[in-house]
Amino acid sequence: MTFRQCSAIKHVPDVAKGFNDTQEFKELSQRVSDIRTRLAHERQSRKKNDDVVNKSGDNCLTQTQTIRRSFNAIFDRLERRTVSEMENSKTLLRNKIQADVDQIDDVTKKLNMLTDALKDGSDTNAALTYIGFSKCDELIFNAQILLEKIAKNDEYKMTFQPFKEIIEYLSSLEMLEEVICEGGEKPLPGPDHVFEVEKHVLHNVKVADEKNVCFITGICRLANGEFLLSDRDNSKLKLLNSSYQVMSTSDVPDNPRVVCSTGQREAAVTVDDTKDRHEILLVRVKAGKIEQMRTIKRQHTCGGLAHHGGYLYVTAKTALHVYDMAGGEGRQLYSDKNGVITVVSCAVSPDGSRIYITNATHHQLITLNKDGTTLSTLTHPELRFPSSPHVTAQGHVFVTCRGIDTVVQVTEKNNQQTVVTLTGKNNGLTKPLSLCFNSNSSLLVGQLDDDNIVELKLK
């Protein structure tokens, strides 16, 4: 152990001499009083905040119980309809069986009557015997036809086939709802605020064993502050911690596209090779690892992806489709066949009332309502080959423009949309593609052919 040598030594009595008369000492009492007042005020404020947390927690519990009751009502309705359909099907099958039995009984009865009559009159009247024989022969022929008809039918039965997709999806859930802890950070300004880039920071996301340069087609933020990236050229999903360091990866089929959060620790990613594979891969993050749960196959190309309210919005070059999370039949929400790629990617506003899609063919940002009706079509010189729209929780709209390597912000006032260029190559952008807003006022940009994602610190 070494000690730094003192340049001079002063005795405390010498230093303290006359200190009681200094202004600094005289102000000490007031300073202590002031700080005590502030501490008391802050303590009272924290106690009030504790009450708010307690009440909001109780409110979350009430909402959870409401959701459970809703689930019970839904399952009760499904059970009633299933039982009703089962009873109808059982009645239908039993009626068919009874119809066969009735025909068998009818033929058997007629055969018995004729054979009894033939026995009684076979020795007295040849004509009647011949007529009886002819009718009996005809009945035997009809009985054979009936037997052949019945023999062709498989034995009737009923089987129960549950919807496995629903069971698998419900089994994959860890909670009924996403619990979000709010506060701590200052709230962001309203959606009409125009951001400026304070500075940019590069974060390398390349993994040691990768042969190809990264091609970050999608970024999403999970509720716990971690990030999920899709790297197309390396066919990987990458999990990043809150400091943007790669924690783990998961190999996926060729051409993973856009990734979006679907729950607290869950996400979905489009996987499409433009030929035969058109899929949506559902994953979850557990203990720092990426787990692949199941795949939803589609008949159309799967490019852009967004999630809101339990529904997935999927772009298909010239159309926008919406599906429930169980992967059942969906519907086409929007279509524009006036070009090769008129629906590139999509984003949904926090309340679900607006859907933003990018049109690369005509360099436009199109706003739809939740029913797919066009609300506005924005064309602007700065919107050159727009690719990924992104909407923050406060409603700020950002778009990457591959044509001029920029990120723009779209604001709206009095139903008039305005495009503001947020940044370009001067802030580390080369080929911006994907976007994700972090809660600490940073915008993450994934790029084509670049091992770095760009963190834009905003103000």
Side-chain angles (χ1 to χ4, degrees), residues 263-280:
Q264 191 166 20
R265 300 179 184 88
E266 298 174 351
V269 57
T270 48
V271 179
D272 198 298
D273 62 3
T274 70
K275 296 179 181 178
D276 305 316
R277 188 188 297 275
H278 313 301
E279 300 172 349
I280 303 168

Side-chain angles (χ1 to χ4, degrees), residues 92-102 104 156-157:
L92 176 64
L93 293 181
R94 295 192 69 189
N95 287 341
K96 289 182 178 181
I97 293 172
Q98 189 59 47
D100 291 341
V101 171
D102 291 343
I104 292 171
Y156 294 120
K157 63 179 179 180

